[in-house]
Amino acid sequence: DLVTGVQTCALPILLRADTRLYMEALTKRRGFSSSRVEHLLNGLVKAMPVYECYLEVGTLEGRTLDAAAVGNDDKAIVGCDPCEKYETLPESFAPNVIFFRRPWQDLLSSRLLPLPVGCAFYDGDHSAEETWAFMDAIRAHMADEAVLVLDDWDRETVREGAFKAIGDWQ
């Protein structure tokens, strides 16, 4: 087990118990994600206390950011993306969603996060260095029992950066 000393809750058990082969998408937005990822993020936000926020890095057109907000009107949802890689801007979001067109480094250093981060979804630069840098920087902004989800775990560079960060945390 990679994570030690973390309390477990019923949510992961509920998510694993869902054996549906098909899960309907929560949003109509385009994006590279899947409906399973939408449901995972949405469930994590649902389980998050209202005094914490969701942070998404790498928003693209907003599919996963929008999905995280579905039915979570009482939660603060924050996304950031400099919108340079694909030269696209996401369209408007629900009132509880704040989108910053800037790199995550600027967002964290400017102290614009409204609350401690209860759930972070990192889908930014997938190099080992950037993955490590995000995990190193976000640590100071995370709530005590926060969840960090890294996209594209199948990439060796993401795993390399994550394992280095976890080693630094211990």
Side-chain angles (χ1 to χ4, degrees), residues 10-151:
L11 180 66
I13 294 167
L14 291 173
L15 290 173
R16 283 192 295 259
D18 190 342
T19 59
R20 291 179 287 171
L21 294 177
Y22 173 76
M23 299 178 85
E24 190 166 331
L26 294 173
T27 179
K28 301 288 185 201
R29 290 183 191 252
R30 295 181 332 160
F32 298 122
S33 194
S34 70
S35 61
R36 288 200 176 279
V37 171
E38 286 183 349
H39 283 270
L40 170 69
L41 298 174
N42 183 270
L44 290 170
V45 171
K46 195 172 300 302
M48 192 178 69
V50 295
Y51 51 84
E52 296 174 0
C53 72
Y54 168 81
L55 172 63
E56 180 170 304
V57 172
T59 301
L60 190 58
E61 291 190 30
R63 179 176 178 175
T64 49
L65 190 63
D66 202 30
V70 171
N72 291 316
D73 301 338
D74 60 336
K75 307 292 173 71
I77 311 290
V78 179
C80 69
D81 194 315
C83 303
E84 295 168 348
K85 184 175 181 180
Y86 296 102
E87 298 180 6
T88 184
L89 269 173
E91 294 181 17
S92 63
F93 293 100
N96 62 320
V97 178
I98 304 167
F99 176 74
F100 294 99
R101 184 179 180 181
R102 60 176 55 189
W104 64 264
Q105 296 91 333
D106 292 352
L107 179 65
L108 295 184
S109 66
S110 65
R111 302 190 184 276
L112 290 172
L113 289 173
L115 299 163
V117 176
C119 180
F121 178 52
Y122 181 76
D123 192 10
D125 182 327
H126 297 311
S127 68
E129 297 79 21
E130 280 295 305
T131 301
W132 172 85
F134 176 75
M135 289 180 69
D136 184 59
I138 194 64
R139 188 173 178 198
H141 300 273
M142 295 186 84
D144 289 339
E145 296 179 359
V147 174
L148 171 59
V149 178
L150 300 175
D151 192 44

